[in-house]
Amino acid sequence: MADLTWQKKTLADALGADRGLPDWAGEMVAKFRPEDLDELRTNEREAVLGALGRVARQSRDARQTDFHSGDRNKPAFVEGDIDWGLRAARSALEAQPAGERSEKANELLGDCTCPAATGPNPGRDAGTPGTQHE
């Protein structure tokens, strides 16, 4: 198995997770390397990490059933939370003006396989049945 230390730490920082993340979480972002963030412009990096963390936390928090216990009993992150966070990160990069995006941002968008979190059918890509307008 690949060493996912950097991926898990970076993801935990973005999520604000003080509990360690399991290997499956690191595997979800395993294709990303330190250079991918380093080569983004500061505003792009902040937008991507901010959106990823914010949306993943919102997804997790929506599953919390005991609202009176505060942060103590927040549910653990699940794959769907990270997935929505990654979709939001993609949308954050797409929101950067095309003529002002860095080469790395365009490269990452070109390689991205997840659907965006925004648009007329959030969470679905153009190839998903039922998203085509006739």
Side-chain angles (χ1 to χ4, degrees), residues 16-32:
D18 55 1
R19 301 181 257 181
L21 293 175
D23 285 345
W24 63 260
E27 290 169 2
M28 288 186 74
V29 295
K31 68 180 178 180
F32 299 107

Side-chain angles (χ1 to χ4, degrees), residues 21-88:
L21 293 175
D23 285 345
W24 63 260
E27 290 169 2
M28 288 186 74
V29 295
K31 68 180 178 180
F32 299 107
R33 304 162 315 201
E35 310 78 69
D36 292 327
L37 287 180
D38 292 344
E39 293 176 21
L40 289 175
R41 292 188 175 125
T42 302
N43 63 320
E44 294 168 337
R45 184 173 42 256
E46 290 172 355
V48 164
L49 294 174
L52 189 154
R54 184 182 67 259
V55 171
R57 284 189 303 276
Q58 288 171 348
S59 177
R60 177 207 53 198
D61 294 351
R63 293 182 290 104
Q64 185 173 359
T65 56
D66 180 9
F67 294 103
H68 301 292
S69 62
D71 290 342
R72 292 187 319 244
N73 292 322
K74 292 242 186 244
F77 285 102
V78 297
E79 187 174 338
D81 303 331
I82 308 301
D83 181 58
W84 276 109
L86 289 170
R87 292 171 187 221

Side-chain angles (χ1 to χ4, degrees), residues 117-131:
T118 58
N121 296 297
R124 295 183 180 172
D125 62 16
T128 303
T131 62

